[in-house]
Amino acid sequence: MSRKWLVVAVAALCVPAAWWLVQRMGSRILTVTPPTEGISRTLATERASNISAVRYTLALNIPPRKEEHIRGTLGVRLRLAERAPVILDFAQPAERVSSIQANGRPVPVRSEHGHLVIPGDLVTSGENVIDIAFIAGDAPLNRDDEYLYSLFVPARASQAFPCFDQPDIKGSLSLTLQVPSTWTAVSNAPEIGRDSAAERTTIRFGQTQALPTYLFGFAAGRFSVERGERNGRAFHIYHRESDPARVAANREAILDLHQQALEWLESYTDRKYPFDKLDFVLLPAFQFGGMEHAGAIYYNAPALFLDETATQSQRLGRASLIAHETAHMWFGDLVTMKWFDDVWLKEVFANFMAAKIVDPTFPNINHDLRFFLQHYPAAYEVDRTAGANPIRQNLDNLREAGGLYGPIIYQKAPIVMRQLEQMLGPDELRDGLREYLTRFAFANATWTDLIEMLDRRTSEDLAAWSRVWVDEPGRPTIDTVLESRNGKISRLALSQSDPRGRSLVWNQTLQVALGYDHGARITTLKMNGASVDVPRVGDLPLPHYVLPNSEGIGYGLFKLDDTSRQFFLAHLPAIGDSLTRGTVWVTLWDDMLEGGTTPRRLFDLMLAALPEEHEELTAERILGYVRTSFWRFLTDAERTSVAVRLEQVLRAGMKQAATTSLKSAYFGAFRQIVTTPEGLAYLERVWRRREPIPELTFAENDYIDMAQELALRDVKGSAGILDEQHRNITNPDRKARFAFVMPALSSDVAARDAFFASLAKVDNRARERWVVDGLAFISHPLRRHHAERYIQPGLELLSDIQRTGDIFFPLNWTGGLLAAHNSPAAAQTVKGFLDTQKNYPPRLRQVIEQQADQLFRAARLVGS
Ligand SMILES: [Zn+2]
């Protein structure tokens, strides 16, 4: 008996009359720790060491009406290393279990904190079969009148059916669905048979490979199916789009992008696609961008079915999303993290691979710039806040796993992975990953497993590097020290400091640019101490600027000295190198948030720079900053004084843009900032189809967006505009969404208050995207004064949101609630809430601190 088991046994003995105590009937029975709420690390560790060879046979009977119960039967085959009570997860009341049998013998139903416990005397070491008849929980099944889809990540399968809901007990699934005969269905494995009767169809799917429960997925309902083939590989696209032109315009691109991603990954990993087939399910209001169910990837339909007005970022975003989910088939699905504390590992590989896959398919894009703009600003948004989290986070219970997700995993981790590739070299990293996939195929691994494998391939101390970059939150502050003598440089040094006072040192490679009339002089150096001198710059003339992150590699808060700041504010558009220009924009934004450049000064630079910015990605980034600055960082008086010029600049941009996608980006920005009577009259004419914009063809979504903006501005007859828009929507899913958000757009405050009050009820929060849209509408900057009353109750709801919603909901909810505000009163409400909640869950506190950071800064900068 190991020391650990001794402790467990003693702890168990202290619980009087607990029925899971050591039970001796014949052979010795191992004790297990009594289960608690959720899936604790203790439970997971004990189970994983004793349970293997799991096979689920699941049958669900799906009625036509979503109000009726889904009844199911489950057979679980499993092998026990030692005889011990078997704890299955089923987070439903005991009444939902009608019978349990273990190896053919009836088992009394005992539900303990969301777990079913099969006593040790009814199982045996070796093979066992457990049969359960039950009523499925609806929450993770996203039931609608015409369709449903499961979404189990990170540990919600056990809300639907009994299972071992942890990533390192992989099992195969053999699924049978009985559905209304007008429905179709898709799941991880191929369909292997179907029986049709008058009203009902039974669809049987083959047995999957070993998968963790969070990757089980099925969708059923009224879906249209597109079949396509590439290089002998068949794909199916399940969707609910009612506009055939929209399907036709996107179908081939969706298939091509998947095929390209598959081919690239098979070559990079030297391993064939690991599953039996690959289908795609495009859902109208899917909670995430995509979800990598093995063999059946889900997508948010609008991310793949693009309109003609899609911007370049949206087209690149689609390619990246497809590459990301496809990469998961190897990274996450074939090799899975052992515990969700390493969930970042699958996400970083998916994003990192996605960047490599997408680059060659868009040859005209500056990919270094794109990587920079796609990752750094979003990572900084979190890393500059008091609520910043490390990439790798400790996790004691899977019910907290949702809180791990966010920009640090999706945006900072790929930056760190690029550093790792730089340290190892691309070939060594690839070979290391091949070894990792081979060794852990259809099994589980940790970050430590990988680092140990890679450490053998380099002389660098990867473990030490990982401790700072992966295990700690935040970023270094990097200052420039420039000393001169007789108008020449005598010394140039960079120093780093830890704004959180931990004295951490972030080792990284930096490219320091010194700007001169004829261009920049760039020195690459290793920042591997508190201060580093830039070599070979003595006696150079004094530069216009010093920029230590000119190539978009360095990560941190780069403090500008005043000479450099003034130069950029006067001459930024004239800097020829796109990547340098892109990094300066992000650096100036940081500078503004830190109280350096004033918001107004930066805003003026943006308006001056836009007409000259021909790099589309950078123009889109500036347009994003323009929107945020206009609504959040300018005072009311400043906003009024710049409105006419801003609209002129954006309408001119629309006219002059060289591509449809950039025109569309300008129009999108205009729609969101328009405030003048002339601008609003123009927008209304466009919405009424009385003023076409050359080369821009609008789709239903575009008209919906315009109607929403017009309503938010209380234009004359705005209620009629909303009604007319609602009548004009042909797609039923879009119509349902619009009906849901209409009260949130109303000019009647009582309707908006009622909308907000309705969100207290969990049933009204079922469509998370709709809820977040509605929250953003009632809190729109033009209505934010009234909306301050929603902040306190909205924050009070957050723990309930986390308990009942999917993984991104707490983050998005808080974002929708706070994103428009900038007043000291609003900031005080959030601070007051945090101050009074002494025992608030730390992860939720982080979410609030992250989402409120810009509000706090805006309140300081404009609120006085
Ligand atoms: Zn992912």
Side-chain angles (χ1 to χ4, degrees), residues 774-833:
L775 260 188
F777 293 148
I778 58 172
S779 309
H780 188 275
L782 288 166
R783 295 170 171 183
R784 65 184 156 209
H785 186 65
H786 181 81
E788 283 183 6
R789 72 196 60 196
Y790 306 136
I791 295 177
Q792 175 78 21
L795 293 175
E796 283 165 4
L797 270 175
L798 189 58
S799 49
D800 199 41
I801 299 282
Q802 185 207 28
R803 196 175 49 75
T804 55
D806 279 303
I807 49 183
F808 296 108
F809 203 20
L811 206 66
N812 293 338
W813 170 274
T814 317
L817 195 66
L818 301 180
H821 291 286
N822 66 355
S823 75
Q828 196 44 52
T829 305
V830 179
K831 285 184 179 144
F833 178 84

Side-chain angles (χ1 to χ4, degrees), residues 311 589 603 606-607 610 619-634 639 646 650 664-674 709 713 781 784 819 854:
T311 60
W589 184 255
F603 190 81
M606 292 174 198
L607 291 198
L610 273 171
E620 280 196 53
R621 179 72 263 167
I622 300 171
L623 288 171
Y625 286 150
V626 163
R627 278 192 296 262
T628 309
S629 305
F630 181 75
W631 287 122
R632 204 171 208 180
F633 288 98
L634 296 187
R639 201 161 38 250
L646 170 60
L650 298 187
S664 184
Y666 270 106
F667 179 72
F670 173 82
R671 196 181 67 210
Q672 289 171 316
I673 57 82
V674 57
E709 298 291 346
R713 282 151 183 83
R784 65 184 156 209
Q854 219 182 63

Side-chain angles (χ1 to χ4, degrees), residues 292 324-325 328 346-347 350 410:
E292 70 268 20
H324 176 108
E325 302 305 338
H328 271 316
K346 75 178 176 71
E347 296 310 327
Y410 288 97

Side-chain angles (χ1 to χ4, degrees), residues 270-306:
D270 196 25
R271 199 170 240 286
K272 287 273 161 221
Y273 171 69
F275 303 102
D276 295 333
K277 58 94 179 167
L278 184 55
D279 295 327
F280 320 116
V281 188
L282 276 55
L283 297 158
F286 186 47
Q287 290 91 321
F288 316 158
M291 178 62 208
E292 70 268 20
H293 301 112
I297 304 176
Y298 294 2
Y299 290 105
N300 186 37
L304 262 54
F305 282 149
L306 297 182

Side-chain angles (χ1 to χ4, degrees), residues 108-136:
V109 177
R110 294 288 302 263
S111 176
E112 300 284 337
H113 302 292
H115 308 273
L116 299 173
V117 190
I118 317 293
D121 56 350
L122 293 175
V123 295
T124 171
S125 60
E127 301 295 326
N128 291 273
V129 184
I130 295 164
D131 292 291
I132 304 174
F134 63 98
I135 294 170

